Amino acid sequence: MSTNNPIPRPGSAPRVGAPARPGQRPAQRPASAPAGKPVVKKPAPKTPPALVKPAPKAKARRARLLVSKVDPWSVLKMAFLLSVALGIVTVVAAIVLWSVLDTIGLFDKVNSFINDIQGKEGGTPFDLLSIASLGQVASFSTIVAVVNVVLLTTLSVLSAWLYNISATLVGGIGVTLTDD
């Protein structure tokens, strides 16, 4: 960069010891103008021109992509995490549902209804809580959740593998992405 640059940059401080700007030169005639006619000078604009013009609004870009392969290892990891989350939701939902049913007294009403149907001569009275206690419900829902984790993970990896085979035959799934 030259040290004798007469035009300062916007936002920069004035330089100490820099030479002054040269004075205005007298207006010169264009070569095609006759010698007797004066050159008419255009008036200066009233507002200074903007240093940075706003960019025109860009159109939304679109990209067409083709999903030609799905990595089975990434599908395994994602399916495992999502199925574990679903398993946790299953166990919590079963415990909450059992608690709500016990709070509203449904188990006692079912016991009294079945004992009324069974009658006095039926022997031992029926107790639904001996069959469906909170511990048994939580254990059963945990077993169901573990089985779901194994099945969903296995089926997801199998689906990814089958997709890769079919994508080699037909080319995959086309996806169009847009930039808003």
Side-chain angles (χ1 to χ4, degrees), residues 54-122:
K57 187 170 181 177
K59 294 181 181 177
R61 296 184 304 174
R62 299 180 126 204
R64 290 194 44 122
L65 301 174
L66 195 66
V67 181
S68 60
K69 185 176 189 274
V70 177
D71 186 27
W73 179 247
S74 65
V75 169
L76 175 93
K77 292 186 288 186
M78 282 300 296
F80 178 73
L81 287 177
L82 291 175
S83 60
V84 165
L86 182 65
I88 292 170
V89 168
T90 302
V91 172
V92 170
I95 292 171
V96 167
L97 180 64
W98 188 92
S99 298
V100 168
L101 293 178
D102 187 42
T103 303
I104 64 172
L106 183 75
F107 297 124
D108 294 332
K109 291 178 184 176
V110 169
N111 285 340
S112 66
F113 178 70
I114 291 178
N115 286 331
D116 287 344
I117 291 175
Q118 188 178 8
K120 300 274 184 199
E121 296 116 17

Side-chain angles (χ1 to χ4, degrees), residues 108-148:
D108 294 332
K109 291 178 184 176
V110 169
N111 285 340
S112 66
F113 178 70
I114 291 178
N115 286 331
D116 287 344
I117 291 175
Q118 188 178 8
K120 300 274 184 199
E121 296 116 17
T124 60
F126 181 75
D127 186 22
L128 184 60
L129 288 178
S130 65
I131 298 171
S133 68
L134 179 61
Q136 290 171 333
V137 168
S139 299
F140 183 73
S141 64
T142 303
I143 291 170
V144 168
V146 168
V147 169
N148 276 340

Side-chain angles (χ1 to χ4, degrees), residues 131-165:
I131 298 171
S133 68
L134 179 61
Q136 290 171 333
V137 168
S139 299
F140 183 73
S141 64
T142 303
I143 291 170
V144 168
V146 168
V147 169
N148 276 340
V149 166
V150 172
L151 287 177
L152 287 174
T153 305
T154 305
L155 287 175
S156 298
V157 172
L158 181 64
S159 298
W161 184 69
L162 289 174
Y163 176 79
N164 288 339
I165 290 174

